Amino acid sequence: MKPNYHITFIFVVFINVVHSNWIPRKENEGNVNICDKLDEYVNSPYSEEQFLKYSDVKACYELTSYNKTKAIQVIETVKEYLKGFYALLDQAKEESNPGFDLRPIDLISELDLVVKNNYSYEYQFIYDVANLIEELRDGHTRLRSDDYYKYLFDQGLSMYSVIKKDGTQQIKVFNDIKEPSNVDCQVIDIDGKPAIDAIIEFARDHTFYSRDLSARFNSALASLVFGNGDFYIAGQLFTYRNQLPKNPSISYTLNCNGKFSKITREWQVSIKSVQYKSPYISGTSVGNATLIFDAFIARFYILQDFGVVLISTEDIINNSLDLEYHFLSNIVAGFKLFADKGIKKIILDLSNNGGGYIFIGHYINKLLFPNIQNFPLDYKVNDISIPFIKEISRIKKGIGNIFHYKSFTSVKTKSSFDSVNDLIGNDIYTRGGVQVRYTSKAFHNDTTNYIGTFKLPKPPKFPWTEKDIVILTNGLCQSTCAIITQRLAEINVPTIAVGGFPNTRFSFAQYAVGEASSSADIQPLLELKNINSSLVSKLSLPSNLTLYFTLAEAYSIKNPNEVMDYAYRPADYQLYYDERSARDPSHLWLQAAKYFRK
Ligand SMILES: *[C@@H]1O[C@H](CO)[C@@H](O)[C@H](O)[C@H]1NC(C)=O
Ligand SMILES: *[C@@H]1O[C@H](CO)[C@@H](O)[C@H](O)[C@H]1NC(C)=O
Ligand SMILES: *[C@@H]1O[C@H](CO)[C@@H](O)[C@H](O)[C@H]1NC(C)=O
Ligand SMILES: *[C@@H]1O[C@H](CO)[C@@H](O)[C@H](O)[C@H]1NC(C)=O
Ligand SMILES: *[C@@H]1O[C@H](CO)[C@@H](O)[C@H](O)[C@H]1NC(C)=O
Ligand SMILES: *[C@@H]1O[C@H](CO)[C@@H](O)[C@H](O)[C@H]1NC(C)=O
Ligand SMILES: CC(=O)N[C@H]1CO[C@H](CO)[C@@H](O)[C@@H]1O
């Protein structure tokens, strides 16, 4: 059995290779199955086509009719996974902090209502289920179908938001592949609605990378992300979507220096994935900042007299423990270089960081604050989860897996659990009005969880305290990124969030969890010896459907009963994008440097 390496990350829209020509492809001819034809276009290296048409993809999706029998099976299986493993299922029924834009959801009952609807096509049903689950606004929890999330629908256009001197907020064109002269024109209306309202509505109802609306608003718009050794345009979910959009196009009214125009953009699917390299900064130079160390997944800059560290989500792409080790050694080396150069203040810019291995977050926290205790966790104990806990705990190689009692240190005793029953424990909490059983609270034992063939570097003692670091994000710092930033915020490292709405402080991070998992992670465990056949059939989803979920919840250290996922933690300070700072983060770094604690 392969141990589980505790990866948690949120999908960051992160795209490859630029195509500047938007050549529409020829009309579809004949009666060949349209889905096969699309596959052929995508897979043929000689294809002249660069884009799939919206209407062809729609026709492909509409080849499969809705089958209520199959739909009921899907709903029943999804319910079993959620009841067995989804740590936040019952808390989701409660009213949450008013800082979040979130309604209480009794997901199990609402899933039962979905099958009462009539659908013509299977994809409509799948989207409804997926959208309902996304209303949890839990980035770790979503349903994906290989068939109906196969394509990314793009308009070649991205937008951003600036706050003018008089305090008003505007939507502007950030980048436009088709018509570069539109860049920085103000977007007045979108499909006849004021642009700002259209973006807010979309962010509120159709994005789920934060429970906080300001951060969701940022995700609907474009911003820069550092990754893969360069800067790219991230987010832009309004114009870059993974579900088949309802209409074939969107129209925009633009104001370009007083000249008004209306443009209409069709949705297209780029065959070669598109990488929106930032056209504004590229390579290693960022404004007046000097790059002193490039660790590929991290960069160390000096600007004026302070340091800036960027850390990306790279590990996900390569997914190799040896590389992780290499990256971590480089991160240690970068900080050491700062210390050697006498850098006294450091900005951690973790904008658009979707997370990575949990132990890396833990390691970075301990690197900067050697005595820090990372967030503890627990997960659900019930008829569905117990067989996995017991079975995996019997397997020596299972150490490191979330279901193995030896993967943890007990919060109560501060040492390893003596037996599987010690981990299972007797903890019962009232959540959403019902009694729910969880394991004993535990810390990840990062030594056991990191089964590498090498020793992690023992870092030197660094000179910085919480007064010498500030955290800067655009609100989209998720999962392992939140394990770093929300933990450091609890020891009073100041936090700054960029963007959102005027004078509205908002969350700098979200989804610090104990572990995220999925039906695909559970599938191989169904083959273990003592997992009985009724459990296997309960948990068997069609292989083209994957349910992702938060498996273990994390708890605050400061307020030990507070579940981090539902802890509303607004940033201490807010900054805004303007035409320059949206394209050159060094302008934000200069502003952020004012917030080091005195
Ligand atoms: C619907 O799905 C069920 C279960 O997979 C199958 O037995 C049945 O034939 C399908 N019905 C239709 C009309 O395709
Ligand atoms: C679904 O379709 C059936 C049969 O066509 C109809 O009787 C029923 O009212 C419809 N239900 C809904 C919720 O539209
Ligand atoms: C999954 O695959 C089956 C078999 O190829 C297909 O009939 C079904 O439509 C697919 N369902 C989804 C939700 O992708
Ligand atoms: C770099 O510094 C110079 C001199 O202080 C200043 O004029 C210029 O605007 C700065 N450039 C950026 C991108 O901040
Ligand atoms: C963590 O695991 C290692 C390796 O199994 C073990 O030696 C160590 O005692 C554990 N630490 C704690 C605090 O339980
Ligand atoms: C399988 O496990 C379930 C729940 O623990 C139990 O109710 C059922 O009797 C078991 N079935 C078999 C065949 O052992
Ligand atoms: C740091 C590193 O090795 N990155 C590699 C990750 O994988 C991609 C795709 O194979 C390579 O292009 C990168 O160089």
Side-chain angles (χ1 to χ4, degrees):
M1 192 199 62
K2 244 182 113 219
N4 187 328
Y5 289 114
H6 309 277
I7 302 176
T8 76
F9 71 98
I10 309 292
F11 180 75
V12 179
V13 177
F14 206 125
I15 345 161
N16 303 294
V17 203
V18 177
H19 282 280
S20 43
N21 305 337
W22 285 65
I23 306 165
R25 50 163 235 83
K26 294 187 278 296
E27 289 308 306
N28 176 46
E29 290 155 29
N31 292 328
V32 193
N33 175 328
I34 182 71
C35 295
D36 294 344
K37 195 140 191 167
L38 295 181
D39 280 343
E40 205 181 297
Y41 289 138
V42 172
N43 297 328
S44 164
Y46 306 111
S47 172
E48 290 168 25
E49 318 296 342
Q50 293 196 9
F51 295 95
L52 306 180
K53 281 184 6 185
Y54 172 89
S55 55
D56 289 349
V57 176
K58 186 161 193 275
C60 163
Y61 285 5
E62 293 187 350
L63 282 185
T64 310
S65 315
Y66 176 62
N67 177 329
K68 188 159 182 170
T69 314
K70 274 163 67 181
I72 290 171
Q73 284 167 1
V74 166
I75 293 284
E76 290 307 315
T77 312
V78 164
K79 278 162 53 184
E80 294 300 325
Y81 269 102
L82 295 169
K83 286 193 256 183
F85 302 116
Y86 183 38
L88 307 170
L89 183 68
D90 296 292
Q91 192 157 359
K93 295 181 212 160
E94 296 175 13
E95 287 289 343
S96 61
N97 187 296
F100 289 139
D101 180 82
L102 198 61
R103 71 174 176 93
I105 298 182
D106 182 345
L107 192 53
I108 301 298
S109 315
E110 295 198 25
L111 282 168
D112 283 334
L113 295 180
V114 175
V115 279
K116 296 212 157 68
N117 297 331
N118 290 327
Y119 297 98
S120 302
Y121 306 108
E122 183 180 60
Y123 82 90
Q124 297 168 325
F125 160 73
I126 295 292
Y127 285 176
D128 263 12
V129 177
N131 292 344
L132 174 61
I133 292 172
E134 286 174 22
E135 282 197 60
L136 298 163
R137 312 297 171 205
D138 175 353
H140 286 121
T141 303
R142 61 196 185 276
L143 180 72
R144 286 293 175 262
S145 135
D146 293 350
D147 306 69
Y148 306 126
Y149 286 84
K150 192 168 177 175
Y151 301 114
L152 290 167
F153 300 86
D154 187 8
Q155 302 220 313
L157 175 88
S158 60
M159 294 173 280
Y160 70 126
S161 161
V162 298
I163 310 293
K164 304 309 280 183
K165 290 232 159 55
D166 64 4
T168 59
Q169 186 163 26
Q170 282 186 0
I171 303 294
K172 300 184 82 171
V173 175
F174 187 70
N175 194 42
D176 188 348
I177 290 179
K178 278 181 138 177
E179 190 45 71
S181 65
N182 288 334
V183 167
D184 270 341
C185 294
Q186 188 190 346
V187 185
I188 307 286
D189 286 331
I190 300 177
D191 279 342
K193 209 179 252 172
I196 186 90
D197 296 350
I199 303 287
I200 291 173
E201 188 182 297
F202 176 81
R204 193 184 54 223
D205 300 338
H206 301 288
T207 66
F208 73 109
Y209 290 142
S210 176
R211 295 189 174 86
D212 187 317
L213 183 60
S214 298
R216 297 220 291 279
F217 178 75
N218 283 355
S219 77
L221 297 167
S223 53
L224 296 184
V225 61
F226 163 66
N228 240 337
D230 211 337
F231 287 93
Y232 299 91
I233 300 175
Q236 57 172 324
L237 298 180
F238 188 86
T239 47
Y240 199 84
R241 304 187 185 179
N242 59 8
Q243 283 189 355
L244 178 78
K246 287 233 157 59
N247 301 313
S249 65
I250 293 184
S251 69
Y252 302 84
T253 308
L254 303 182
N255 173 359
C256 306
N257 297 318
K259 196 168 147 273
F260 287 76
S261 62
K262 187 163 169 173
I263 61 171
T264 298
R265 283 293 160 85
E266 310 280 320
W267 290 106
Q268 287 182 313
V269 174
S270 176
I271 290 180
K272 310 253 177 357
S273 57
V274 181
Q275 184 153 59
Y276 287 111
K277 277 213 182 194
S278 162
Y280 311 106
I281 50 172
S282 64
T284 52
S285 80
V286 179
N288 287 335
T290 307
L291 182 73
I292 62 151
F293 189 61
D294 188 350
F296 194 80
I297 69 157
R299 279 190 189 166
F300 294 79
Y301 288 95
I302 293 179
L303 182 58
Q304 295 177 348
D305 59 351
F306 59 89
V308 180
V309 184
L310 304 178
I311 301 176
S312 81
T313 317
E314 213 63 48
D315 46 322
I316 295 315
I317 296 167
N318 292 46
N319 199 6
S320 130
L321 286 171
D322 288 298
L323 265 175
E324 293 313 318
Y325 169 75
H326 175 69
F327 289 151
L328 275 182
S329 319
N330 278 339
I331 287 177
V332 176
F335 279 110
K336 187 163 182 309
L337 209 54
F338 271 172
D340 292 348
K341 285 185 181 290
I343 292 297
K344 299 212 158 33
K345 305 280 176 187
I346 297 173
I347 295 171
L348 287 181
D349 184 347
L350 298 176
S351 296
N352 285 315
N353 182 311
Y357 290 94
I358 288 179
F359 91 91
I360 290 194
H362 291 172
Y363 185 85
I364 290 175
N365 287 345
K366 293 211 181 227
L367 180 68
L368 296 170
F369 298 94
N371 298 321
I372 206 166
Q373 184 60 263
N374 285 305
F375 294 135
L377 63 89
D378 63 15
Y379 56 96
K380 296 218 287 191
V381 171
N382 51 48
D383 288 352
I384 295 172
S385 65
I386 286 174
F388 294 97
I389 302 172
K390 292 206 157 153
E391 189 62 12
I392 288 168
S393 289
R394 294 186 328 114
I395 305 171
K396 191 137 187 281
K397 277 199 194 145
I399 298 178
N401 188 290
I402 187 86
F403 294 122
H404 201 300
Y405 72 99
K406 286 193 173 162
S407 306
F408 302 102
T409 302
S410 157
V411 167
K412 209 188 281 161
T413 67
K414 305 281 185 289
S415 61
S416 306
F417 290 105
D418 289 335
S419 70
V420 63
N421 286 332
D422 277 359
L423 169 66
I424 290 175
N426 293 302
D427 286 351
I428 295 174
Y429 307 115
T430 303
R431 299 266 174 88
V434 292
Q435 305 259 290
V436 194
R437 193 169 165 202
Y438 288 85
T439 61
S440 302
K441 283 184 185 164
F443 295 110
H444 274 293
N445 177 336
D446 289 308
T447 322
T448 6
N449 290 339
Y450 189 66
I451 305 173
T453 50
F454 31 71
K455 276 212 155 69
L456 289 171
K458 180 145 177 56
K461 168 106 188 67
F462 290 127
W464 308 294
T465 72
E466 69 282 1
K467 293 198 175 81
D468 304 317
I469 297 176
V470 300
I471 289 165
L472 176 70
T473 81
N474 65 339
L476 299 164
C477 159
Q478 292 137 336
S479 205
T480 293
C481 185
I483 285 173
I484 301 172
T485 57
Q486 291 190 332
R487 184 65 192 105
L488 297 189
E490 286 200 345
I491 57 164
N492 297 322
V493 173
T495 54
I496 308 169
V498 193
F501 307 113
N503 300 311
T504 310
R505 283 198 298 146
F506 67 102
S507 308
F508 55 92
Q510 48 265 305
Y511 315 135
V513 295
E515 175 113 338
S517 189
S518 73
S519 56
D521 290 339
I522 301 292
Q523 272 330 278
L525 308 183
L526 295 177
E527 285 161 27
L528 292 171
K529 208 164 63 202
N530 296 320
I531 302 298
N532 87 21
S533 57
S534 90
L535 198 49
V536 172
S537 72
K538 270 184 185 174
L539 297 176
S540 294
L541 263 186
S543 63
N544 47 4
L545 276 180
T546 309
L547 180 71
Y548 299 83
F549 47 83
T550 300
L551 174 59
E553 57 193 2
Y555 290 89
S556 163
I557 295 280
K558 215 173 168 180
N559 309 312
N561 292 321
E562 189 177 30
V563 172
M564 287 310 298
D565 244 281
Y566 282 96
Y568 176 60
R569 300 285 171 87
D572 300 314
Y573 308 102
Q574 184 181 17
L575 294 177
Y576 304 107
Y577 292 112
D578 61 24
E579 287 79 353
R580 290 194 316 168
S581 67
R583 297 179 168 113
D584 175 350
S586 69
H587 295 284
L588 297 171
W589 301 341
L590 290 170
Q591 294 172 59
K594 298 189 180 102
Y595 296 113
F596 290 112
R597 284 202 204 286
K598 294 288 172 321

